Amino acid sequence: MTLEVVKQKSRGFICVNAHPEGCRVNVERQIDVAAAQPPAGRSDSHPISNVLVVGASTGYGLASRIAAGWGLRARTLGVFFERPPDRGRTASAGFYNTVAVHQRAKKDGLHAASLNGDAFSDDVKREAAEMIRKEFAPVDLVIYSLASPRRTDPRNGATYQSTLKPVGQAYSSRTIDLDSERVTEVTIEPASEQEVADTIAVMGGEDWKRWMEMLLEENLLASGARTLAYSYIGPEMTWPIYRDGTIGQAKKDLDRAAGELSATMSNRLGGRAWVSVNKAIVTQASAAIPVVPLYMSILMKVMQERGVEEGAIEQIDRLFREFLSGDGKMRTDAGGRIRLDDQEMREEVQSKVSGVWPTVTTENLHQVSDFAWFKRQFRNLFGFEVPGVDYSQPTEIDLAW
Ligand code: NAD
């Protein structure tokens, strides 16, 4: 037992600790959203009973685990890489989120299991296969939601670092310096060919394919099994750094992998793979992309004013109910992708955002954008500034599931 009053510790903008109670309240709020409607109808052609989520502890992966568990009453195995508490040091937020998922699953009679380790490694894939064989076979749905700055490929031992840079030419844009809160002009030099290749190796489709090939080889997938990986497109103003940048090249590789996986899965067991394009939300991964925090701060103000804002759980709950449940017919765009970014990409939203974009300055930042919301959302990710939490109270930090 280690009871402590946990105060937020930061290094610049980044939080280096997490608040267990704040994380629990965040998870409970997401569960409330998913559980608010009656469980989605079971589809006989595409049941969703056993779900594997790779990257299940924060952001879109956590929302996927919650939507599957509390929206569909599915059994979930979550894989992620999180830091446990250690000698008075708090765990990472994703660790505490998972503790909260397990506590609530136990209370609600839902089956949930978790595996904490490097999902890129063969060891973790093998361990997941063992857990699935014992408790989750056959798996109907695999959600691949990893966001990582690096990957070690166990087949050649090489470690790749991903970068967030434009490709081909330098890119200049407005951005917020998150530490000084000043709106500045940033120029980012283009990535080298090696950096593009390395980013694809980390965030592209290779590891997703390895997970699915392993599950196929081990006969752990149900007939008609489906898999999804998450992507982002966003508006043209961010394309040089996102869609056409290094990360965008990795996302194109994900599209390619979806095509290859679909072909294999449909041959072997009548299954399919899709990429789902989701809306920009504040996560540890997205806050690290240059320019994007300023875009999100403006976007948030515009979407809130129009009452169309959605967080991770609202979108993923919609994904499970409107796309993955029911008759199994999938609505996709011309490129075969699921689109959950429809609200963000609405013409009226984007024209307002692009009208504000050239006018934003340090002085008017808080009038024309909701940067205060962005900061709060970011701290919420670590369990801080969460409404309803009394931060003066000691809280148990030495938790486990
Ligand atoms: P996130 O940082 O909140 O979550 C990343 C997850 O990956 C965590 O569960 C973490 O533990 C896990 N992870 C990282 N490295 C790992 C490793 N080596 N082994 C096991 N687990 C590991 O990120 P997110 O923003 O939710 O992103 C998830 C996916 O959604 C990404 O593909 C991202 O591009 C996509 N996406 C994000 C946004 C956005 O705005 N945040 C929008 C659209 C799509």
PDB file of all heavy atoms in Angstrom, residues 55-60 80-82 117-120 145-148 230-232 242 251 278-281 283 285-286, ligand 1:
ATOM      1  N   GLY A  55      -2.642  -2.146 -28.456  1.00  0.00           N
ATOM      2  CA  GLY A  55      -2.573  -0.697 -28.167  1.00  0.00           C
ATOM      3  C   GLY A  55      -3.803  -0.274 -27.390  1.00  0.00           C
ATOM      4  O   GLY A  55      -4.440   0.732 -27.697  1.00  0.00           O
ATOM      5  N   ALA A  56      -4.143  -1.071 -26.330  1.00  0.00           N
ATOM      6  CA  ALA A  56      -5.468  -0.970 -25.694  1.00  0.00           C
ATOM      7  C   ALA A  56      -5.524  -0.089 -24.452  1.00  0.00           C
ATOM      8  O   ALA A  56      -6.550  -0.048 -23.792  1.00  0.00           O
ATOM      9  CB  ALA A  56      -5.925  -2.385 -25.303  1.00  0.00           C
ATOM     10  N   SER A  57      -4.433   0.616 -24.120  1.00  0.00           N
ATOM     11  CA  SER A  57      -4.411   1.257 -22.795  1.00  0.00           C
ATOM     12  C   SER A  57      -4.731   2.749 -22.814  1.00  0.00           C
ATOM     13  O   SER A  57      -5.025   3.314 -21.761  1.00  0.00           O
ATOM     14  CB  SER A  57      -3.030   1.049 -22.164  1.00  0.00           C
ATOM     15  OG  SER A  57      -2.027   1.481 -23.048  1.00  0.00           O
ATOM     16  N   THR A  58      -4.635   3.399 -23.961  1.00  0.00           N
ATOM     17  CA  THR A  58      -4.923   4.844 -24.038  1.00  0.00           C
ATOM     18  C   THR A  58      -5.565   5.138 -25.405  1.00  0.00           C
ATOM     19  O   THR A  58      -5.605   4.266 -26.278  1.00  0.00           O
ATOM     20  CB  THR A  58      -3.626   5.700 -23.917  1.00  0.00           C
ATOM     21  OG1 THR A  58      -2.715   5.288 -24.930  1.00  0.00           O
ATOM     22  CG2 THR A  58      -2.973   5.576 -22.558  1.00  0.00           C
ATOM     23  N   GLY A  59      -6.044   6.354 -25.578  1.00  0.00           N
ATOM     24  CA  GLY A  59      -6.491   6.845 -26.880  1.00  0.00           C
ATOM     25  C   GLY A  59      -7.535   5.964 -27.550  1.00  0.00           C
ATOM     26  O   GLY A  59      -8.469   5.472 -26.906  1.00  0.00           O
ATOM     27  N   TYR A  60      -7.385   5.791 -28.856  1.00  0.00           N
ATOM     28  CA  TYR A  60      -8.379   5.039 -29.626  1.00  0.00           C
ATOM     29  C   TYR A  60      -8.438   3.557 -29.257  1.00  0.00           C
ATOM     30  O   TYR A  60      -9.493   2.931 -29.359  1.00  0.00           O
ATOM     31  CB  TYR A  60      -8.104   5.198 -31.130  1.00  0.00           C
ATOM     32  CG  TYR A  60      -8.715   6.460 -31.674  1.00  0.00           C
ATOM     33  CD1 TYR A  60      -7.940   7.477 -32.206  1.00  0.00           C
ATOM     34  CD2 TYR A  60     -10.094   6.645 -31.640  1.00  0.00           C
ATOM     35  CE1 TYR A  60      -8.516   8.637 -32.692  1.00  0.00           C
ATOM     36  CE2 TYR A  60     -10.681   7.802 -32.118  1.00  0.00           C
ATOM     37  CZ  TYR A  60      -9.889   8.788 -32.646  1.00  0.00           C
ATOM     38  OH  TYR A  60     -10.473   9.932 -33.117  1.00  0.00           O
ATOM     39  N   PHE A  80      -0.534  -3.830 -24.654  1.00  0.00           N
ATOM     40  CA  PHE A  80      -0.019  -2.445 -24.591  1.00  0.00           C
ATOM     41  C   PHE A  80       1.335  -2.471 -23.915  1.00  0.00           C
ATOM     42  O   PHE A  80       1.789  -3.526 -23.443  1.00  0.00           O
ATOM     43  CB  PHE A  80      -1.000  -1.555 -23.803  1.00  0.00           C
ATOM     44  CG  PHE A  80      -1.445  -2.201 -22.519  1.00  0.00           C
ATOM     45  CD1 PHE A  80      -0.627  -2.219 -21.418  1.00  0.00           C
ATOM     46  CD2 PHE A  80      -2.676  -2.856 -22.466  1.00  0.00           C
ATOM     47  CE1 PHE A  80      -1.007  -2.869 -20.255  1.00  0.00           C
ATOM     48  CE2 PHE A  80      -3.064  -3.514 -21.294  1.00  0.00           C
ATOM     49  CZ  PHE A  80      -2.227  -3.520 -20.195  1.00  0.00           C
ATOM     50  N   PHE A  81       1.971  -1.287 -23.871  1.00  0.00           N
ATOM     51  CA  PHE A  81       3.300  -1.185 -23.259  1.00  0.00           C
ATOM     52  C   PHE A  81       3.248  -0.049 -22.248  1.00  0.00           C
ATOM     53  O   PHE A  81       3.298   1.116 -22.630  1.00  0.00           O
ATOM     54  CB  PHE A  81       4.318  -0.868 -24.352  1.00  0.00           C
ATOM     55  CG  PHE A  81       5.704  -1.373 -24.071  1.00  0.00           C
ATOM     56  CD1 PHE A  81       5.981  -2.143 -22.948  1.00  0.00           C
ATOM     57  CD2 PHE A  81       6.740  -1.090 -24.951  1.00  0.00           C
ATOM     58  CE1 PHE A  81       7.262  -2.609 -22.698  1.00  0.00           C
ATOM     59  CE2 PHE A  81       8.034  -1.564 -24.708  1.00  0.00           C
ATOM     60  CZ  PHE A  81       8.283  -2.327 -23.591  1.00  0.00           C
ATOM     61  N   GLU A  82       3.110  -0.353 -20.981  1.00  0.00           N
ATOM     62  CA  GLU A  82       2.934   0.679 -19.963  1.00  0.00           C
ATOM     63  C   GLU A  82       3.853   0.414 -18.767  1.00  0.00           C
ATOM     64  O   GLU A  82       4.229  -0.725 -18.499  1.00  0.00           O
ATOM     65  CB  GLU A  82       1.470   0.720 -19.496  1.00  0.00           C
ATOM     66  CG  GLU A  82       0.478   1.060 -20.600  1.00  0.00           C
ATOM     67  CD  GLU A  82       0.605   2.487 -21.127  1.00  0.00           C
ATOM     68  OE1 GLU A  82       1.296   3.309 -20.501  1.00  0.00           O
ATOM     69  OE2 GLU A  82       0.007   2.773 -22.192  1.00  0.00           O
ATOM     70  N   GLY A 117       3.555  -5.500 -22.618  1.00  0.00           N
ATOM     71  CA  GLY A 117       4.872  -5.787 -23.177  1.00  0.00           C
ATOM     72  C   GLY A 117       4.972  -5.223 -24.581  1.00  0.00           C
ATOM     73  O   GLY A 117       4.016  -4.622 -25.088  1.00  0.00           O
ATOM     74  N   ASP A 118       6.120  -5.437 -25.217  1.00  0.00           N
ATOM     75  CA  ASP A 118       6.368  -4.860 -26.538  1.00  0.00           C
ATOM     76  C   ASP A 118       5.636  -5.657 -27.629  1.00  0.00           C
ATOM     77  O   ASP A 118       6.062  -6.755 -27.993  1.00  0.00           O
ATOM     78  CB  ASP A 118       7.884  -4.853 -26.787  1.00  0.00           C
ATOM     79  CG  ASP A 118       8.228  -4.246 -28.134  1.00  0.00           C
ATOM     80  OD1 ASP A 118       7.306  -3.758 -28.830  1.00  0.00           O
ATOM     81  OD2 ASP A 118       9.422  -4.278 -28.488  1.00  0.00           O
ATOM     82  N   ALA A 119       4.573  -5.054 -28.153  1.00  0.00           N
ATOM     83  CA  ALA A 119       3.731  -5.746 -29.141  1.00  0.00           C
ATOM     84  C   ALA A 119       4.485  -6.053 -30.436  1.00  0.00           C
ATOM     85  O   ALA A 119       4.057  -6.902 -31.221  1.00  0.00           O
ATOM     86  CB  ALA A 119       2.506  -4.889 -29.466  1.00  0.00           C
ATOM     87  N   PHE A 120       5.600  -5.347 -30.682  1.00  0.00           N
ATOM     88  CA  PHE A 120       6.374  -5.605 -31.894  1.00  0.00           C
ATOM     89  C   PHE A 120       7.210  -6.886 -31.763  1.00  0.00           C
ATOM     90  O   PHE A 120       7.712  -7.401 -32.748  1.00  0.00           O
ATOM     91  CB  PHE A 120       7.325  -4.437 -32.178  1.00  0.00           C
ATOM     92  CG  PHE A 120       6.619  -3.129 -32.451  1.00  0.00           C
ATOM     93  CD1 PHE A 120       6.964  -1.981 -31.749  1.00  0.00           C
ATOM     94  CD2 PHE A 120       5.628  -3.043 -33.419  1.00  0.00           C
ATOM     95  CE1 PHE A 120       6.336  -0.766 -32.010  1.00  0.00           C
ATOM     96  CE2 PHE A 120       4.991  -1.830 -33.684  1.00  0.00           C
ATOM     97  CZ  PHE A 120       5.344  -0.692 -32.982  1.00  0.00           C
ATOM     98  N   SER A 145      -4.126  -0.615 -32.853  1.00  0.00           N
ATOM     99  CA  SER A 145      -4.134   0.822 -32.527  1.00  0.00           C
ATOM    100  C   SER A 145      -2.841   1.246 -31.841  1.00  0.00           C
ATOM    101  O   SER A 145      -2.859   1.969 -30.857  1.00  0.00           O
ATOM    102  CB  SER A 145      -5.347   1.124 -31.633  1.00  0.00           C
ATOM    103  OG  SER A 145      -5.467   2.510 -31.405  1.00  0.00           O
ATOM    104  N   LEU A 146      -1.718   0.789 -32.404  1.00  0.00           N
ATOM    105  CA  LEU A 146      -0.435   1.166 -31.800  1.00  0.00           C
ATOM    106  C   LEU A 146      -0.006   2.545 -32.276  1.00  0.00           C
ATOM    107  O   LEU A 146      -0.194   2.896 -33.438  1.00  0.00           O
ATOM    108  CB  LEU A 146       0.659   0.191 -32.231  1.00  0.00           C
ATOM    109  CG  LEU A 146       0.706  -1.195 -31.611  1.00  0.00           C
ATOM    110  CD1 LEU A 146       2.004  -1.876 -32.022  1.00  0.00           C
ATOM    111  CD2 LEU A 146       0.597  -1.134 -30.116  1.00  0.00           C
ATOM    112  N   ALA A 147       0.569   3.326 -31.375  1.00  0.00           N
ATOM    113  CA  ALA A 147       1.264   4.552 -31.768  1.00  0.00           C
ATOM    114  C   ALA A 147       2.563   4.546 -30.978  1.00  0.00           C
ATOM    115  O   ALA A 147       2.540   4.536 -29.751  1.00  0.00           O
ATOM    116  CB  ALA A 147       0.440   5.778 -31.425  1.00  0.00           C
ATOM    117  N   SER A 148       3.668   4.474 -31.704  1.00  0.00           N
ATOM    118  CA  SER A 148       4.951   4.332 -31.019  1.00  0.00           C
ATOM    119  C   SER A 148       6.022   5.139 -31.736  1.00  0.00           C
ATOM    120  O   SER A 148       6.004   5.238 -32.960  1.00  0.00           O
ATOM    121  CB  SER A 148       5.349   2.854 -31.004  1.00  0.00           C
ATOM    122  OG  SER A 148       6.635   2.705 -30.457  1.00  0.00           O
ATOM    123  N   TYR A 230      -6.174   1.967 -37.407  1.00  0.00           N
ATOM    124  CA  TYR A 230      -6.655   3.345 -37.429  1.00  0.00           C
ATOM    125  C   TYR A 230      -5.708   4.284 -38.174  1.00  0.00           C
ATOM    126  O   TYR A 230      -4.486   4.131 -38.105  1.00  0.00           O
ATOM    127  CB  TYR A 230      -6.844   3.849 -35.995  1.00  0.00           C
ATOM    128  CG  TYR A 230      -7.933   3.112 -35.248  1.00  0.00           C
ATOM    129  CD1 TYR A 230      -7.804   2.836 -33.890  1.00  0.00           C
ATOM    130  CD2 TYR A 230      -9.092   2.686 -35.902  1.00  0.00           C
ATOM    131  CE1 TYR A 230      -8.800   2.168 -33.190  1.00  0.00           C
ATOM    132  CE2 TYR A 230     -10.095   2.021 -35.217  1.00  0.00           C
ATOM    133  CZ  TYR A 230      -9.946   1.760 -33.859  1.00  0.00           C
ATOM    134  OH  TYR A 230     -10.933   1.103 -33.185  1.00  0.00           O
ATOM    135  N   SER A 231      -6.323   5.252 -38.842  1.00  0.00           N
ATOM    136  CA  SER A 231      -5.539   6.192 -39.629  1.00  0.00           C
ATOM    137  C   SER A 231      -6.128   7.593 -39.511  1.00  0.00           C
ATOM    138  O   SER A 231      -7.163   7.786 -38.877  1.00  0.00           O
ATOM    139  CB  SER A 231      -5.541   5.728 -41.093  1.00  0.00           C
ATOM    140  OG  SER A 231      -4.703   6.549 -41.867  1.00  0.00           O
ATOM    141  N   TYR A 232      -5.448   8.544 -40.114  1.00  0.00           N
ATOM    142  CA  TYR A 232      -5.913   9.930 -40.099  1.00  0.00           C
ATOM    143  C   TYR A 232      -5.609  10.548 -41.457  1.00  0.00           C
ATOM    144  O   TYR A 232      -4.606  10.207 -42.090  1.00  0.00           O
ATOM    145  CB  TYR A 232      -5.199  10.714 -38.987  1.00  0.00           C
ATOM    146  CG  TYR A 232      -5.651  12.148 -38.885  1.00  0.00           C
ATOM    147  CD1 TYR A 232      -6.942  12.450 -38.481  1.00  0.00           C
ATOM    148  CD2 TYR A 232      -4.793  13.197 -39.209  1.00  0.00           C
ATOM    149  CE1 TYR A 232      -7.375  13.775 -38.402  1.00  0.00           C
ATOM    150  CE2 TYR A 232      -5.214  14.519 -39.120  1.00  0.00           C
ATOM    151  CZ  TYR A 232      -6.512  14.795 -38.721  1.00  0.00           C
ATOM    152  OH  TYR A 232      -6.949  16.093 -38.643  1.00  0.00           O
ATOM    153  N   TYR A 242       1.289  15.933 -42.282  1.00  0.00           N
ATOM    154  CA  TYR A 242       0.632  14.670 -41.935  1.00  0.00           C
ATOM    155  C   TYR A 242       0.471  13.768 -43.159  1.00  0.00           C
ATOM    156  O   TYR A 242       1.280  12.893 -43.395  1.00  0.00           O
ATOM    157  CB  TYR A 242      -0.715  14.904 -41.203  1.00  0.00           C
ATOM    158  CG  TYR A 242      -1.075  13.633 -40.474  1.00  0.00           C
ATOM    159  CD1 TYR A 242      -0.781  13.473 -39.116  1.00  0.00           C
ATOM    160  CD2 TYR A 242      -1.596  12.534 -41.154  1.00  0.00           C
ATOM    161  CE1 TYR A 242      -1.012  12.269 -38.483  1.00  0.00           C
ATOM    162  CE2 TYR A 242      -1.826  11.333 -40.525  1.00  0.00           C
ATOM    163  CZ  TYR A 242      -1.545  11.205 -39.191  1.00  0.00           C
ATOM    164  OH  TYR A 242      -1.758   9.999 -38.570  1.00  0.00           O
ATOM    165  N   LYS A 251       0.975   5.661 -43.131  1.00  0.00           N
ATOM    166  CA  LYS A 251      -0.461   5.381 -43.198  1.00  0.00           C
ATOM    167  C   LYS A 251      -0.844   4.818 -44.576  1.00  0.00           C
ATOM    168  O   LYS A 251      -1.752   3.998 -44.683  1.00  0.00           O
ATOM    169  CB  LYS A 251      -1.279   6.644 -42.878  1.00  0.00           C
ATOM    170  CG  LYS A 251      -1.126   7.107 -41.421  1.00  0.00           C
ATOM    171  CD  LYS A 251      -1.574   6.041 -40.428  1.00  0.00           C
ATOM    172  CE  LYS A 251      -1.542   6.503 -38.992  1.00  0.00           C
ATOM    173  NZ  LYS A 251      -1.791   5.421 -38.030  1.00  0.00           N
ATOM    174  N   ASN A 278     -10.037   8.095 -38.495  1.00  0.00           N
ATOM    175  CA  ASN A 278     -10.678   8.699 -37.325  1.00  0.00           C
ATOM    176  C   ASN A 278     -10.387  10.192 -37.243  1.00  0.00           C
ATOM    177  O   ASN A 278      -9.485  10.705 -37.890  1.00  0.00           O
ATOM    178  CB  ASN A 278     -10.171   8.012 -36.050  1.00  0.00           C
ATOM    179  CG  ASN A 278     -10.440   6.513 -36.065  1.00  0.00           C
ATOM    180  OD1 ASN A 278     -11.135   6.002 -36.940  1.00  0.00           O
ATOM    181  ND2 ASN A 278      -9.890   5.811 -35.098  1.00  0.00           N
ATOM    182  N   LYS A 279     -11.145  10.851 -36.390  1.00  0.00           N
ATOM    183  CA  LYS A 279     -11.018  12.295 -36.186  1.00  0.00           C
ATOM    184  C   LYS A 279      -9.770  12.625 -35.347  1.00  0.00           C
ATOM    185  O   LYS A 279      -9.328  11.790 -34.549  1.00  0.00           O
ATOM    186  CB  LYS A 279     -12.279  12.752 -35.452  1.00  0.00           C
ATOM    187  CG  LYS A 279     -12.259  14.137 -34.914  1.00  0.00           C
ATOM    188  CD  LYS A 279     -13.501  14.380 -34.069  1.00  0.00           C
ATOM    189  CE  LYS A 279     -13.377  15.700 -33.359  1.00  0.00           C
ATOM    190  NZ  LYS A 279     -12.348  15.714 -32.299  1.00  0.00           N
ATOM    191  N   ALA A 280      -9.269  13.847 -35.470  1.00  0.00           N
ATOM    192  CA  ALA A 280      -8.145  14.290 -34.628  1.00  0.00           C
ATOM    193  C   ALA A 280      -8.631  14.435 -33.181  1.00  0.00           C
ATOM    194  O   ALA A 280      -9.625  15.119 -32.929  1.00  0.00           O
ATOM    195  CB  ALA A 280      -7.632  15.642 -35.122  1.00  0.00           C
ATOM    196  N   ILE A 281      -7.979  13.763 -32.274  1.00  0.00           N
ATOM    197  CA  ILE A 281      -8.272  13.922 -30.839  1.00  0.00           C
ATOM    198  C   ILE A 281      -6.944  14.107 -30.110  1.00  0.00           C
ATOM    199  O   ILE A 281      -5.890  13.724 -30.626  1.00  0.00           O
ATOM    200  CB  ILE A 281      -9.027  12.709 -30.234  1.00  0.00           C
ATOM    201  CG1 ILE A 281      -8.230  11.413 -30.466  1.00  0.00           C
ATOM    202  CG2 ILE A 281     -10.444  12.608 -30.775  1.00  0.00           C
ATOM    203  CD1 ILE A 281      -8.642  10.281 -29.547  1.00  0.00           C
ATOM    204  N   THR A 283      -4.198  13.058 -27.905  1.00  0.00           N
ATOM    205  CA  THR A 283      -3.603  11.888 -27.253  1.00  0.00           C
ATOM    206  C   THR A 283      -2.106  12.170 -27.123  1.00  0.00           C
ATOM    207  O   THR A 283      -1.610  13.158 -27.682  1.00  0.00           O
ATOM    208  CB  THR A 283      -3.769  10.583 -28.080  1.00  0.00           C
ATOM    209  OG1 THR A 283      -3.055  10.735 -29.311  1.00  0.00           O
ATOM    210  CG2 THR A 283      -5.228  10.266 -28.359  1.00  0.00           C
ATOM    211  N   ALA A 285       0.131  10.656 -28.578  1.00  0.00           N
ATOM    212  CA  ALA A 285       0.720  10.545 -29.915  1.00  0.00           C
ATOM    213  C   ALA A 285       0.441  11.801 -30.736  1.00  0.00           C
ATOM    214  O   ALA A 285       1.350  12.368 -31.350  1.00  0.00           O
ATOM    215  CB  ALA A 285       0.162   9.303 -30.618  1.00  0.00           C
ATOM    216  N   SER A 286      -0.808  12.277 -30.745  1.00  0.00           N
ATOM    217  CA  SER A 286      -1.144  13.385 -31.657  1.00  0.00           C
ATOM    218  C   SER A 286      -0.568  14.717 -31.176  1.00  0.00           C
ATOM    219  O   SER A 286      -0.267  15.600 -31.976  1.00  0.00           O
ATOM    220  CB  SER A 286      -2.659  13.498 -31.835  1.00  0.00           C
ATOM    221  OG  SER A 286      -3.287  13.878 -30.631  1.00  0.00           O
TER     222      SER A 286
HETATM  223  P1  NAD B   1      -1.978   6.646 -27.951  1.00  0.00           P
HETATM  224  O1  NAD B   1      -0.607   7.187 -27.755  1.00  0.00           O
HETATM  225  O2  NAD B   1      -3.070   7.168 -27.083  1.00  0.00           O
HETATM  226  O3  NAD B   1      -1.997   5.031 -27.780  1.00  0.00           O
HETATM  227  C1  NAD B   1      -0.970   4.221 -28.197  1.00  0.00           C
HETATM  228  C2  NAD B   1      -1.144   2.814 -27.661  1.00  0.00           C
HETATM  229  O4  NAD B   1      -0.086   2.015 -28.202  1.00  0.00           O
HETATM  230  C3  NAD B   1      -1.050   2.696 -26.136  1.00  0.00           C
HETATM  231  O5  NAD B   1      -1.940   1.693 -25.690  1.00  0.00           O
HETATM  232  C4  NAD B   1       0.393   2.207 -25.914  1.00  0.00           C
HETATM  233  O6  NAD B   1       0.611   1.466 -24.716  1.00  0.00           O
HETATM  234  C5  NAD B   1       0.536   1.317 -27.130  1.00  0.00           C
HETATM  235  N1  NAD B   1       1.928   1.048 -27.496  1.00  0.00           N
HETATM  236  C6  NAD B   1       2.880   1.910 -27.922  1.00  0.00           C
HETATM  237  N2  NAD B   1       4.029   1.239 -28.179  1.00  0.00           N
HETATM  238  C7  NAD B   1       3.785  -0.065 -27.905  1.00  0.00           C
HETATM  239  C8  NAD B   1       4.550  -1.247 -27.975  1.00  0.00           C
HETATM  240  N3  NAD B   1       5.825  -1.247 -28.403  1.00  0.00           N
HETATM  241  N4  NAD B   1       3.969  -2.410 -27.603  1.00  0.00           N
HETATM  242  C9  NAD B   1       2.687  -2.451 -27.151  1.00  0.00           C
HETATM  243  N5  NAD B   1       1.904  -1.373 -27.092  1.00  0.00           N
HETATM  244  C10 NAD B   1       2.461  -0.184 -27.457  1.00  0.00           C
HETATM  245  O7  NAD B   1      -2.285   6.840 -29.499  1.00  0.00           O
HETATM  246  P2  NAD B   1      -3.611   7.125 -30.363  1.00  0.00           P
HETATM  247  O8  NAD B   1      -3.593   8.557 -30.739  1.00  0.00           O
HETATM  248  O9  NAD B   1      -4.805   6.514 -29.759  1.00  0.00           O
HETATM  249  O10 NAD B   1      -3.224   6.341 -31.697  1.00  0.00           O
HETATM  250  C11 NAD B   1      -3.655   5.039 -31.987  1.00  0.00           C
HETATM  251  C12 NAD B   1      -3.847   4.909 -33.495  1.00  0.00           C
HETATM  252  O11 NAD B   1      -4.892   5.813 -33.898  1.00  0.00           O
HETATM  253  C13 NAD B   1      -2.603   5.308 -34.302  1.00  0.00           C
HETATM  254  O12 NAD B   1      -2.500   4.478 -35.414  1.00  0.00           O
HETATM  255  C14 NAD B   1      -2.922   6.732 -34.728  1.00  0.00           C
HETATM  256  O13 NAD B   1      -2.248   7.132 -35.896  1.00  0.00           O
HETATM  257  C15 NAD B   1      -4.430   6.588 -34.973  1.00  0.00           C
HETATM  258  N6  NAD B   1      -5.170   7.876 -35.032  1.00  0.00           N
HETATM  259  C16 NAD B   1      -4.993   8.819 -34.045  1.00  0.00           C
HETATM  260  C17 NAD B   1      -5.667  10.035 -34.169  1.00  0.00           C
HETATM  261  C18 NAD B   1      -5.498  11.116 -33.131  1.00  0.00           C
HETATM  262  O14 NAD B   1      -5.863  12.269 -33.395  1.00  0.00           O
HETATM  263  N7  NAD B   1      -5.013  10.818 -31.950  1.00  0.00           N
HETATM  264  C19 NAD B   1      -6.546  10.275 -35.240  1.00  0.00           C
HETATM  265  C20 NAD B   1      -6.731   9.276 -36.186  1.00  0.00           C
HETATM  266  C21 NAD B   1      -6.020   8.075 -36.074  1.00  0.00           C
END
